[in-house]
Amino acid sequence: HMGAVNAIAVRRPRNPDEQNAALLQAFQVFDETGSGAIDMAELQRIVTTLGDKFTPQEFQDIAKVTNLPSSGRIEYAKVVDQMVSGGSAEK
């Protein structure tokens, strides 16, 4: 699965600080309550249907590599940090 994540990262090269800020800003647009969390189903819908879309398989690969839950709410700042650094969302 890391090969898929690396392929996505190569396809979307960006300065880590710029990438972090852009991803946080994107999440905040969909965080209507300002809670800092987003539902996994909503996250998948967003990243597979809007903008520079991920395929459902790319989303699943990233979720597995970063240890995201398959459902429920997640704190997106942690997810962004892990996506940018390439690590695990588990602390």
Side-chain angles (χ1 to χ4, degrees), residues 27 38-40 43-44 47 58-83 87-90:
F27 275 110
I38 190 167
D39 186 78
M40 280 298 291
L43 175 60
Q44 182 169 1
V47 302
E58 287 173 330
F59 177 79
Q60 290 172 4
D61 289 344
I62 290 169
K64 286 177 187 172
V65 169
T66 57
N67 295 317
L68 293 176
S70 59
S71 63
R73 295 184 66 76
I74 56 162
E75 293 180 39
Y76 55 79
K78 289 180 183 177
V79 174
V80 168
D81 287 343
Q82 296 310 315
M83 287 177 71
S88 168
E90 297 272 315

Side-chain angles (χ1 to χ4, degrees), residues 21-43:
L23 287 168
L24 281 175
Q25 185 176 19
F27 275 110
Q28 289 165 352
V29 167
F30 297 99
D31 182 9
E32 295 174 359
T33 63
S35 67
I38 190 167
D39 186 78
M40 280 298 291
E42 178 69 1
L43 175 60

